[in-house]
Structure formats: C-alpha cells, structure tokens
C-alpha cells in the first residue's frame, strides 16, 4: 500500500497558510474571489488535481487559473476532467472541504479521510496540465499550485498563458493521444492548425470575408486571436482591439451583454454595418454586434448564435441525406430570450436547464448533435461519437451530398467540443455568414429579441432562494412566486424569474416584455418584491424598485 507523502505535504503546505476568517466555495465556476486571498486554495487544488488523476488511473486532469469576465483583481481556479469537461460535481464538495481545512493537521486529516472515502489508489500515477490567463496575480498563484502538485508527486505540464478553451483542448488531446479517439495534436499550435484548416476548407470558394473586429477584453484572447490572425491571414481579416488595457474594464462580452452597449473604445473604430464581436477575459464567451446606418447598436448574443449555427447544421445534415439518422437538438437556460425559444421550438427539440455550463453540456450530450449556448455567449456544439461515425462513414449518393458531408466533417473540426470557445465559435459564425451571404442585420432578422432587463438584489441570505423547473420558478421563500406571477400577468409578453447567483452574493432578477419600458418596470418591480421579502430596509429601498 502506497501512503500519502505526509511529510512533504506538510512541509509545502506550511508555506501556504490559510486565514481563519475566509471561507472558500467551489461554485459553478470553481473557486473565485480576490486573487490576493487565493494562495492557500491553489496549493490544495494542486493536491486535489493529483488525486483526481490517480483516481482516474493516471488520466490527465486540467487546472485553469482564471476569473473569466470578473475584474482584474479577482482570480479563480477550476479543474477540468479527462475529456475536457468540467470536474464531476460530486467532487466539488471535497474541493470545498479541503480548501477550508483550517490548519496543516486538519488538511492532512481531511485528505486521509477523502482518500479512503473515494477509494483512491495512491500507487497510480498523477498527471496534470495547467494554464493561466493574463491576470497579474496569476504567476504567484501558479507557483502555489505547483507546490501542491509537487507535494502529491504529480507529473506536470505547464500550458503557460492561454485561454480556458485551449486548456480544455489540451486535456482532451493529451488523453486521447495515439488512440482512435484522438482529438488532435496536443499543443497550442495543434489547436490553431486544426481549427484554422477546417475554417479555410469551409470558406473556400465563398466571397471574400469583410474584416472582423474582435474586442479581446484586454485578456488572453488577444494572444490566441493573434495566432488565428496569423494562421488565417486574408481568409478572414481580423482586427484586434482591447488587447492590453485593464482586463474586462468597459469592454468584453460580459460588459456588452449586461449593458447592451458597444464598448466605448470601439465607438470611433467601428463603421456602420461592420460586424464585430467581444470575447471575455478567458475567451470562452462570445457576443456579436453591429451598428446600423443610424449607428444604432444591435447585439447578437448566445441565443442568436444558437439560431444561426443550429439551422446551418440542420441544413447540412438534410442536404447530406442524413436527416433520418441524425437529430439535432438545442439546450438553453431560462435566460434565453423568449423570442429565441419560440423561434427554435418551431424548428427543433429544445430543452431548458439550470444556469451553468455543466448543466447545458450534459443535456446536449443526449442529442446526436446538441447545440447549446447560454444567452451570455458561452456555448458549443456536441456531436455524439455515433453521430460523428455516421457522418464520417456515410456513403453519399450524389456529388452535392458528398460536398455537404465534407462540410459537416470540417464543421466538427472547427468546433471545440470540450467547452464553449469564443474564437472557435466566432469562426463557426463566420462560416455560416459566408455560406448564407448574411450581413449582421440579416442574421439579426431571424427573430426580434424581446426587450429584457437583468437586475441584481443584495439580500441577507441568498440561500433562502430556492428554485425548480430549471430555475424558472421559486419554491422558497414560500409565496413569493405567486406574487411574481400576479405581477407578470399585467405585462404583455411578460416573463420574469428570480434565482440566487452561483458566483456572487446576490439574487438575480430577469424580466422581459413586449416593450422596453415594460421590461424595465417589470424587472424593477419583481426586484422590489425580492428586496421586501428578504427584509430589506424600507428607508434605503432603491428608488427604481417601485
Ligand atoms: C459561471 C458559469 C456560467 C454561468 C454563470 C452564471 C461555468 C463555467 N460558468 O460563469 O455558465 O452563466 O456562472 O453566473 O459554468 P451567476 O450564477 O452568477 O448568475
Ligand atoms: Mg469566461
């Protein structure tokens, strides 16, 4: 029996003491908080990643150090499972427990219990690949992570500074290397080459694409964006903006989606009619937009990306003669605009699940081809292994079918199936626009978004808010849902729901209605109900919560 290297763990852990006053939680997006308090967490995550790999017989586990779209002083860390998917949820609680062990002895005791409980064979090897985004707190946090990995004796690979989706790609390719399920070459160059080659194949013979402006959120997407720029050259002229200012400040996908505005830095850059898109800080979210002739801003969010790309894939499946064998379905969350859900349900099976990538990803795995995007721009397309085989082995009966079959195969390669990938998704969008000869306005006209509004309410205890039906209804506090229903009935096209955030200590209120002022009013009135319910101080009640 191989035992835990207790002395080595203790020696290194003592270098990363935990403050007794801080409680950490492995939430929807891993651990995420101020970068300066994360040092002890990174060490412990290193140990846990090693154990996760041992548990899975030495398969490579990924660790990404990022806080995505959050402000620059924040940071975070999340684990990636062997196929490039999020850490199995059952382990989240163990991550939380280990991160909160108060002293070195407590940590070692918790570790020993966990190894027994999870039946981890410590004689197995541990292999971990890690990467970080561009945050200033990154290098020190990675150093702490490396101590944790050393303590558990893991074999490591440093993926350097790269996007979250590249790290997920590395995990998958390292684990499938040399097998029939090989996902590509296990390097960043392999990633760029695989995707850009498929892109070039798909736009060959189409009219030249107009330049595309990318707002890089001053994040790591600028680096990967540059690599695509070099690989694609004139096939897709790329203009990179917001490449080295303050991360996520007044720019990026989250800024655009939340404020429903153009990043101010693009105001002088973007011409009317020209399309542009924003990435978030770790390049796993994508929002498109354009200005019309009157320089009015129009946003094309995750829902519009679903509508565009899902119909493209459905058309290719049909044209290849595979309609009977391959069913395409869509996964959304309650945040999907009501118009998008209507548009999609008229055409395809659509499922609604709770917020968070892992819920969407798992639901999408149930279709032959599952297209999922959150309205915030995070998403991808999953092809089941059987669907992929069917597509690759299909015997076309006409030259036209053969062409669309090749298009489908290239589409599979352009997509990063491990996780939402802003740059790969962006290229997929560009392919569809090229194939359909759509401008941004034509794409936008697939359906008209219902005006909507998202409001945050600070409450004493967000855990008092519990939901059901994919977060569309509140079960607790008791009685609040009935009040919301009563209010919603007064608004034409009204819909509203309330859920506790998984990443911030707030409750979120979403509302939509046929007209802009009504959507705003409904959101604020529901927020008022939440505020009162949570015992908010009537004197300081925000004025807009009517
Ligand atoms: C995290 C989730 C994202 C979700 C968001 C909701 C992952 C990798 N990311 O960023 O999918 O939309 O949280 O945040 O799962 P909220 O719970 O604060 O509204
Ligand atoms: Mg992100």
């Amino acid at each position: 029996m191989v035992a835990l290297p207790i002395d080595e763990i203790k020696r290194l852990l003592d270098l990363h003491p935990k403050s007794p006053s801080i409680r950490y939680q492995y939430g929807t997006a891993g651990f995420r908080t101020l970068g300066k308090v994360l040092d002890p967490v990174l060490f412990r995550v290193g140990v846990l990643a090693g154990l996760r790999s041992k548990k899975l017989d030495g398969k490579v586990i990924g660790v990404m150090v990022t806080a995505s779209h959050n402000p620059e002083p924040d940071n975070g860390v999340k684990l990636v499972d062997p196929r490039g998917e999020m850490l199995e949820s059952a382990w989240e609680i163990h991550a939380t427990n280990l991160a909160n062990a108060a002293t070195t002895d407590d940590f070692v005791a918790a570790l020993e219990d966990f190894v027994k409980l999870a039946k981890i064979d410590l004689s197995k090897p541990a292999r971990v690949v890690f990467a970080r985004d561009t945050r200033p707190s990154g290098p020190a946090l990675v150093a702490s992570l490396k101590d944790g990995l050393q303590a558990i004796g893991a074999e490591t690979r440093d993926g350097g500074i790269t996007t979250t989706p590249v790290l997920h790609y590395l995990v998958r390719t390292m684990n499938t290397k040399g097998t029939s399920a090989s996902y590509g070459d296990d390097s960043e160059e392999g990633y760029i080459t695989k995707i850009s080659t498929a892109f070039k194949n798909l736009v060959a013979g189409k009219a030249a694409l107009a330049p595309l402006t990318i707002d890089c959120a001053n994040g790591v997407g600028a680096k990967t964006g540059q690599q695509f720029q070099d690989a694609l050259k004139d096939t897709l002229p790329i203009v990179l903006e917001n490449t080295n200012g303050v991360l996520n400040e007044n720019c990026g996908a989250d800024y655009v989606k939340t404020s429903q505005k153009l990043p101010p830095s693009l105001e002088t850059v973007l011409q009317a009619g020209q399309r542009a898109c924003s990435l978030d800080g770790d390049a796993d979210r994508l929002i498109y937009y354009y200005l019309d002739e009157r320089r009015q801003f129009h946003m094309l969010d995750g829902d519009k990306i679903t509508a565009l790309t899902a119909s493209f894939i459905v058309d290719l499946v049909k044209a290849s003669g595979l309609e009977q064998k391959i069913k395409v379905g869509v996964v959304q969350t309650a945040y999907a605009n009501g118009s998008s859900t209507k548009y999609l349900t008229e055409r395809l099976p659509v499922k609604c699940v709770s917020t968070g990538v892992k819920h969407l990803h798992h639901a999408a795995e149930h279709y032959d081809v599952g297209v999922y995007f959150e309205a915030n721009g995070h998403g991808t397309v999953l092809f089941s292994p059987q669907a992929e085989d069917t597509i690759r082995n299909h015997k076309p009966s006409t030259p036209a079918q053969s062409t669309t079959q090749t298009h489908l195969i290239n589409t599979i390669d352009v997509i990063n199936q491990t996780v939402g990938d802003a740059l790969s998704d962006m290229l997929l969008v560009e392919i569809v626009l090229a194939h359909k000869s759509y401008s941004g306005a034509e794409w936008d006209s697939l359906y008209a978004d219902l005006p909507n509004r998202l409001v945050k309410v600070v409450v004493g205890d967000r855990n008092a808010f519990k939901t059901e039906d994919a977060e569309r209804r509140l079960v607790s506090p008791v009685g609040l849902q009935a009040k919301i229903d009563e209010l919603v009935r007064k608004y034409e096209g009204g819909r509203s729901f309330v859920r506790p955030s998984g990443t911030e200590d707030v409750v979120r209120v979403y509302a939509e209605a046929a007209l802009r002022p009504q959507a705003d009013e409904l959101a604020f009135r529901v927020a008022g109900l939440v505020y009162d319910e949570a015992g908010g101080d009537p004197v300081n009640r925000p004025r807009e919560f009517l």
Side-chain angles (χ1 to χ4, degrees):
M1 267 284 282
V2 177
L4 279 168
I6 303 288
D7 292 345
E8 182 70 344
I9 292 175
K10 282 188 172 171
R11 183 182 71 80
L12 289 162
L13 181 63
D14 282 341
L15 306 174
H16 305 281
K18 174 185 177 291
S19 150
S21 59
I22 304 178
R23 199 180 146 74
Y24 303 101
Q25 196 184 341
Y26 197 101
T28 350
F31 292 107
R32 193 171 289 182
T33 181
L34 276 177
K36 63 178 183 209
V37 304
L38 273 168
D39 180 81
V41 176
L42 268 286
F43 177 87
R44 293 147 192 248
V45 165
V47 175
L48 185 71
L51 290 177
R52 179 84 186 142
S53 175
K54 285 176 186 287
K55 173 71 191 172
L56 301 176
D57 209 13
K59 291 228 167 52
V60 178
I61 295 297
V63 180
M64 184 70 201
V65 180
T66 178
S68 183
H69 55 282
N70 292 119
E72 191 161 279
D74 286 3
N75 215 326
V77 61
K78 58 187 167 193
L79 293 178
V80 178
D81 263 356
R83 286 188 309 122
E85 74 279 36
M86 302 291 167
L87 173 70
E88 181 189 311
S89 350
W91 276 51
E92 291 178 2
I93 179 75
H94 303 304
T96 301
N97 285 343
L98 291 175
N100 289 302
T103 62
T104 298
D105 287 342
D106 288 351
F107 178 73
V108 169
L111 208 55
E112 285 179 324
D113 286 350
F114 174 56
V115 167
K116 261 191 225 128
L117 178 86
K119 299 199 178 67
I120 298 172
D121 178 352
L122 295 169
S123 68
K124 298 280 180 183
R127 296 164 68 210
V128 177
V129 55
F130 56 87
R132 65 175 176 95
D133 69 12
T134 54
R135 281 163 211 270
S137 56
L141 294 178
V142 164
S144 170
L145 173 73
K146 280 160 109 173
D147 280 354
L149 292 165
Q150 183 189 331
I152 194 73
E155 183 192 311
T156 60
R157 169 164 164 190
D158 185 350
I161 300 176
T162 193
T163 69
T164 294
V166 168
L167 190 265
H168 285 249
Y169 169 91
L170 288 177
V171 171
R172 173 89 158 249
T173 48
M174 288 171 77
N175 282 312
T176 53
K177 195 172 179 156
T179 72
S180 59
S182 168
Y183 196 64
D185 184 56
D186 64 335
S187 65
E188 211 168 342
E189 303 75 62
Y191 162 91
I192 299 284
T193 309
K194 177 180 175 184
I195 295 178
S196 50
T197 307
F199 177 82
K200 286 181 194 162
N201 290 340
L202 274 159
V203 298
K206 302 285 163 200
L209 286 159
L212 171 68
T213 299
I214 308 178
D215 154 24
C216 300
N218 295 317
V220 67
K223 179 189 163 221
T224 314
Q226 166 96 57
Q227 289 168 317
F228 276 118
Q229 189 181 48
D230 296 344
L232 295 173
K233 303 207 174 67
D234 293 345
T235 335
L236 176 64
I238 289 175
V239 182
L240 299 170
E241 296 289 341
N242 298 326
T243 54
N244 59 8
V246 180
L247 184 64
N248 297 323
E249 194 171 82
N250 292 322
C251 61
D254 192 59
Y255 172 88
V256 174
K257 175 66 185 163
T258 317
S259 62
Q260 308 187 20
K261 283 204 300 243
L262 188 69
S265 55
L266 293 195
E267 263 154 30
T268 49
V269 176
L270 204 62
Q271 316 279 319
Q274 212 187 345
R275 57 207 198 299
C277 61
S278 287
L279 320 177
D280 71 336
D282 61 337
D284 65 353
R285 289 191 192 182
L286 174 72
I287 300 286
Y288 262 77
Y289 40 87
Y290 67 96
L291 300 173
D292 66 19
E293 309 75 62
R294 292 178 298 130
R295 293 192 68 79
Q296 288 269 355
F297 172 77
H298 297 267
M299 181 167 69
L300 299 147
D301 65 1
D303 301 335
K304 280 266 156 81
I305 297 175
T306 307
L308 184 78
T309 56
S311 16
F312 177 69
I313 294 170
V314 168
D315 291 350
L316 288 182
V317 167
K318 270 192 200 156
S320 307
L322 286 166
E323 202 178 352
Q324 296 308 319
K325 294 192 183 147
I326 293 180
K327 299 287 172 224
V328 182
V330 165
V331 188
Q332 299 189 307
T333 72
Y335 288 114
N337 195 278
S339 298
S340 80
T341 309
K342 181 166 178 296
Y343 175 89
L344 288 161
T345 357
E346 283 163 6
R347 292 162 174 81
L348 291 166
V350 178
K351 191 165 170 19
C352 180
V353 299
S354 297
T355 302
V357 173
K358 61 177 181 239
H359 300 293
L360 290 116
H361 199 88
H362 286 150
E365 283 176 332
H366 290 114
Y367 295 115
D368 299 331
V369 181
V371 183
Y372 77 81
F373 275 91
E374 289 188 289
N376 64 26
H378 184 110
T380 186
V381 182
L382 302 184
F383 291 79
S384 75
Q386 297 83 331
E388 228 181 289
D389 282 350
T390 308
I391 293 168
R392 291 188 195 275
N393 300 327
H394 177 55
K395 301 271 173 290
S397 26
T398 63
Q401 283 195 353
S402 167
T403 306
T404 49
Q405 178 191 16
T406 309
H407 287 343
L408 264 178
I409 294 170
N410 281 311
T411 303
I412 294 174
D413 282 348
V414 110
I415 293 165
N416 183 348
Q417 294 191 53
T418 63
V419 76
D421 181 332
L423 290 162
S424 137
D425 291 338
M426 174 194 88
L427 294 177
L428 179 62
V429 165
E430 291 298 312
I431 289 161
V432 186
L433 297 179
H435 276 247
K436 302 217 180 225
S437 310
Y438 274 176
S439 64
E442 284 163 312
W443 169 17
D444 199 17
S445 70
L446 291 178
Y447 62 83
D449 272 321
L450 283 170
N452 57 86
R453 182 80 187 225
L454 193 57
V455 178
K456 286 188 211 186
V457 188
V458 180
V459 296
D461 177 16
R462 75 180 145 139
N463 295 319
F465 290 75
K466 298 215 178 340
T467 62
E468 62 176 3
D469 189 20
E471 303 179 324
R472 287 174 289 194
R473 300 187 60 77
L474 278 176
V475 280
S476 147
V478 174
L480 183 54
Q481 186 61 49
K483 290 184 193 162
I484 298 172
D485 291 344
E486 193 186 323
L487 204 53
V488 167
R489 272 197 292 276
K490 298 184 179 145
Y491 292 81
E492 193 199 332
R495 183 170 72 93
S496 177
F497 65 91
V498 173
R499 60 175 279 278
S501 158
T503 63
E504 271 182 90
D505 203 8
V506 297
V507 165
R508 299 201 197 280
V509 174
Y510 175 91
E512 62 187 27
L515 300 169
R516 158 68 44 209
Q518 270 72 42
D520 291 343
E521 189 182 291
L522 178 57
F524 284 124
R525 290 182 73 180
V526 173
L529 291 177
V530 171
Y531 184 86
D532 294 344
E533 184 68 41
D537 167 11
V539 180
N540 293 318
R541 195 175 200 251
R543 247 186 318 129
E544 59 275 31
F545 293 1
L546 303 170

